[in-house]
Amino acid sequence: MLNRLTISEVTAKVSRREASAREVTQACLDQIQRVDGQVKAFLSYDSADALAQAAAIDAAIANGANHTDKPLLGVPIAMKDVLSVKGQPLGCASKILEGFTSVYDATVVEKLKAAGAIVFGRLNMDEFAMGSSTENSAYFTTRNPWDTSRIPGGSSGGSAASVSADECIASLGSDTGGSIRQPAALCGCVGLKPTYGRVSRYGLVAFASSLDQIGPFTKDVRDAATLLEVISGHDLRDSTSIPQPVPHYRGALTGNIKGLKIGLAKEYMVGGLDPEVKASVDAAVKQLESMGAEIVEVSLPHTEYAVATYYIVATAEASANLARFDGIRYSKRVDGGNPAELYKNTRGAGFGPEVKRRIILGTYVLSSGYYDAFYLRAQKVRTLIRQDFDKAFEKVDVIVTPTTPTAAFRAGEKSADPLQMYLSDIFTISCNLAGNCGLSLPCGFTKEPKLPIGLQMLGKPFGEETLLRIAHAYEQATGWHQEKSPFSK
Ligand code: GLN
């Protein structure tokens, strides 16, 4: 049962030597053996390596290491297949990187290791983080642990499913337009997208560099605070990381939210919102009010343009970032007699349909003659969206919204219609365009079938402490996080 524990529980137990890092790691590996045939969260994992890392941590504990110095002591943490871990495969769930092995650790991975974590496993995702369901993985679709006929969300579907099926204690993912918050909502765990620049992107395979952030998936809010504290900070190897001190995030979890102002964005509570999702979010707002928060209506008038803006900015950046996968460097190569044919053949065979669609779209919006009409205009709308948030945050401390318009949908339901898939990110995308922070946590369940519903909280730039404080107080008052998926044993 050690795999069911939270980070705080594992580190306390391991420090007191009531369990060893090896036992905790073995419990996670056993759970993967038992359930991953159905959940399909992992693309691969190396048991021997995970156990060797655990043994090294147990040796350090024998020499006096404790969880005050190492806040992730003995905690197995699994990685989305977009993060570089030296010596482990790095594939972005794409055929074009098949067989590629990382040659260095991402900054976040270095930090996890230094904090005593066991960094293991490659978690499934939509190819190059493009998607909302993991159906765009070149390998297989991850399943929602609450109902395996449904998708776990995406693009970090494996990161969310593995945590909610208790196959690991926590995981990391990346969020460009909702890829942490949306799967966390659909799988019933906590997912946090930090402020742009809070966490170094060094060692994260870039999708859209001005939007991407790495963040944690955890079983409760305290664990999210712990992980954020470890992975945050300025890094000379990522010039967009911001030299701002890292607060003691766990210290912000006071349980007291009296007098804090919570914004309700009227534009987020309309059209296409499932009635059960709306009812849960309404109830959550009442709960926060009963705990002493003040509810204030705010307006984010440019919300309706967010999806269109995102699909111009993100695809433009992706088309540039993915140019590096050319058949010369990295992995796959399909020869063609001359370089032009080699590029064409390699990229034609290596990328899946969604990635190709985005490269074509991104190349188009950047091409001469269309740049002003699309890309430049999208940048201007992006500024307006950021100004909406700046204005709203003059009045409130956080903004509360549903994370997704519906609970988890069925595999296959939207995969034939990219626009429907894109629209499922309507509530999460603005936060990336604005660069502020956001979190999703469970706020209830649908009745039949029982599926998790996520509450999104959006914070000011570098407002993670307030975000975590409110989320933690809400979680402790409601206890939704204690509900476990059928695979959690
Ligand atoms: N679902 C969005 C997309 O397909 C967001 C993905 C992400 O955040 N990586 O682009």
Side-chain angles (χ1 to χ4, degrees):
M1 298 304 130
L2 292 169
N3 55 303
R4 296 190 70 186
L5 301 180
T6 60
I7 291 176
S8 346
E9 290 165 344
V10 167
T11 51
K13 255 191 196 306
V14 168
S15 274
R16 290 197 299 260
R17 304 198 197 178
E18 291 165 12
S20 65
R22 193 187 160 87
E23 285 165 336
V24 179
T25 305
Q26 190 62 57
C28 292
L29 295 170
D30 290 347
Q31 176 70 348
I32 294 171
Q33 273 285 318
R34 205 173 68 82
V35 307
D36 210 55
Q38 291 168 77
V39 178
K40 300 169 140 186
F42 285 84
L43 286 162
S44 67
Y45 60 96
D46 181 343
S47 307
D49 175 65
L51 291 169
Q53 289 182 54
I57 288 161
D58 284 329
I61 294 169
N63 283 324
N66 64 64
H67 67 315
T68 318
D69 301 335
K70 292 185 181 292
L72 300 175
L73 195 66
V75 181
I77 300 185
M79 294 297 117
K80 184 178 182 179
D81 196 26
V82 76
L83 289 161
S84 199
V85 183
K86 191 175 180 181
Q88 292 188 17
L90 172 63
C92 300
S94 178
K95 298 269 187 217
I96 209 160
L97 279 170
E98 205 163 23
F100 181 76
T101 302
S102 293
V103 289
Y104 64 87
D105 276 339
T107 299
V108 293
V109 170
E110 266 178 9
K111 285 174 181 277
L112 293 180
K113 287 180 175 171
I118 292 110
V119 178
F120 85 109
R122 306 303 302 170
L123 292 165
N124 198 21
M125 54 184 278
D126 288 294
E127 184 178 1
F128 284 104
M130 297 174 183
S132 310
S133 65
T134 77
E135 289 165 298
N136 296 335
S137 164
Y139 298 98
F140 46 79
T141 301
T142 297
R143 298 291 162 168
N144 191 307
W146 294 87
D147 175 350
T148 52
S149 72
R150 291 171 192 268
I151 54 86
S155 63
S156 316
S159 305
S162 60
V163 169
S164 85
D166 285 326
E167 296 171 285
C168 53
I169 306 299
S171 67
L172 289 189
S174 61
D175 191 314
T176 306
S179 281
I180 292 176
R181 291 158 289 152
Q182 185 255 19
L186 302 189
C187 289
C189 45
V190 177
L192 170 69
K193 184 204 92 72
T195 304
Y196 187 76
R198 176 73 293 184
V199 175
S200 167
R201 294 181 295 109
Y202 179 76
L204 166 72
V205 178
F207 162 10
S209 311
S210 77
L211 302 162
D212 299 339
Q213 272 291 289
I214 301 166
F217 287 83
T218 55
K219 298 174 189 178
D220 66 16
V221 175
R222 179 172 296 278
D223 282 4
T226 307
L227 260 187
L228 182 65
E229 212 171 295
V230 171
I231 64 173
S232 290
H234 183 228
D235 180 11
L236 289 172
R237 293 172 298 188
D238 172 8
S239 60
T240 64
S241 75
I242 294 178
Q244 184 134 316
V246 179
H248 177 47
Y249 288 115
R250 279 168 294 170
L253 311 180
T254 59
N256 181 6
I257 61 166
K258 280 203 181 64
L260 287 175
K261 293 201 173 68
I262 293 180
L264 268 188
K266 53 178 187 227
E267 291 84 358
Y268 278 50
M269 296 302 275
V270 286
L273 187 57
D274 175 87
E276 283 183 287
V277 172
K278 179 167 183 340
S280 290
V281 172
D282 287 344
V285 170
K286 288 226 165 66
Q287 172 68 38
L288 290 164
E289 195 170 19
S290 78
M291 295 163 70
E294 190 185 325
I295 309 298
V296 180
E297 193 179 272
V298 294
S299 176
L300 300 168
H302 296 93
T303 300
E304 63 173 303
Y305 306 110
V307 173
T309 305
Y310 170 84
Y311 276 95
I312 293 173
V313 174
T315 57
E317 294 185 20
S319 70
N321 275 325
L322 271 60
R324 62 169 65 85
F325 302 106
D326 55 5
I328 309 287
R329 292 163 287 184
Y330 308 104
S331 192
K332 194 179 185 71
R333 172 176 302 178
V334 184
D335 237 317
N338 63 56
E341 287 298 308
L342 184 152
Y343 293 156
K344 202 167 84 188
N345 293 347
T346 302
R347 290 165 69 83
F351 289 136
E354 182 63 25
V355 175
K356 286 180 186 159
R357 183 179 297 126
R358 299 211 188 184
I359 292 174
I360 292 168
L361 185 59
T363 307
Y364 177 74
V365 300
L366 287 176
S367 60
S368 86
Y370 295 101
Y371 183 94
D372 288 1
F374 294 110
Y375 185 71
L376 203 62
R377 190 166 294 185
Q379 291 293 9
K380 290 180 180 168
V381 181
R382 182 177 187 177
T383 302
L384 294 174
I385 290 170
R386 205 190 47 242
Q387 288 170 349
D388 281 357
F389 278 103
D390 290 347
K391 232 179 249 156
F393 283 128
E394 282 171 13
K395 291 207 286 184
V396 296
D397 297 293
V398 303
I399 296 170
V400 163
T401 81
T403 311
T404 57
T406 65
F409 45 90
R410 285 207 171 73
E413 201 176 311
K414 299 191 186 193
S415 44
D417 185 349
L419 190 58
Q420 276 313 308
M421 192 71 90
Y422 296 173
L423 287 171
S424 64
D425 298 323
I426 188 140
F427 299 138
T428 48
I429 273 175
S430 303
C431 170
N432 302 72
L433 289 168
N436 50 1
C437 57
L439 168 155
S440 178
L441 83 168
C443 71
F445 291 86
T446 58
K447 283 211 176 60
E448 200 49 59
K450 183 179 178 181
L451 300 169
I453 296 172
L455 181 70
Q456 178 174 234
M457 296 185 181
L458 300 174
K460 298 176 188 179
F462 293 92
E464 281 87 351
E465 285 173 285
T466 312
L467 203 62
L468 289 161
R469 173 182 303 175
I470 298 176
H472 172 254
Y474 171 81
E475 170 194 86
Q476 294 303 306
T478 56
W480 293 116
H481 65 298
Q482 282 158 352
E483 305 262 342
K484 288 287 193 173
S485 80
F487 286 103
S488 157
K489 286 244 168 58

